[in-house]
Amino acid sequence: MTEILTSPAAHGLWICLVLAIASASVSITLTQTELFAPLRAAANKVGHMIGHLFHCFYCISHWVVIAGIAVYRPVIISSGVPVIDWTVSAFFTIALTALFCGMIFKVFLAAMSKKATEHELKKTLAQS
């Protein structure tokens, strides 16, 4: 059992999982938070497609994952051809990232809805 957990494939799978969670977090942060609104505005000025990239967490997550794969080079399935192995790992990680982005975005929307409701309630109570 320990050889399964310490195998190169398990190590690659762990790297892909960590990259997916980190990429989802980075993608949501870049595309949805006020902190990066100036970056999104600048991207819009560069061009329509670049602007779209910085407004779509699914789109930008691909580039974040590709950067992570280029740095860490995880291999979850070994074919003997590194480029093919990294491509498989990249698309596996992108799929995981999409799942994590969906979960994070759902929590983000719930938090924003709660904040908006609290703001409206305070405004209504202040008018009374």
Side-chain angles (χ1 to χ4, degrees):
M1 179 70 174
T2 56
E3 52 276 340
I4 292 172
L5 297 176
T6 58
S7 71
H11 181 69
L13 187 60
W14 174 251
I15 292 171
C16 288
L17 179 65
V18 171
L19 282 175
I21 294 169
S23 297
S25 180
V26 167
S27 299
I28 292 289
T29 301
L30 285 174
T31 62
Q32 303 301 313
T33 64
E34 286 301 312
L35 180 64
F36 289 97
L39 177 65
R40 291 190 300 274
N44 277 334
K45 290 179 184 174
V46 171
H48 169 71
M49 292 307 291
I50 297 294
H52 178 72
L53 177 67
F54 280 90
H55 282 87
C56 173
F57 60 80
Y58 178 73
C59 303
I60 204 161
S61 71
H62 285 66
W63 294 102
V64 176
V65 167
I66 289 168
I69 295 293
V71 170
Y72 293 101
R73 298 184 202 152
V75 174
I76 53 176
I77 298 175
S78 181
S79 68
V81 182
V83 174
I84 293 172
D85 299 341
W86 298 328
T87 301
V88 169
S89 295
F91 281 101
F92 176 76
T93 306
I94 288 167
L96 287 177
T97 301
L99 291 172
F100 290 126
C101 276
M103 289 188 285
I104 292 169
F105 191 64
K106 190 170 185 172
V107 170
F108 180 78
L109 288 178
M112 294 304 291
S113 176
K114 181 179 182 256
K115 179 131 176 111
T117 302
E118 288 173 355
H119 179 69
E120 287 298 317
L121 182 61
K122 285 180 184 178
K123 195 163 88 173
T124 302
L125 291 174
Q127 292 174 352
S128 300

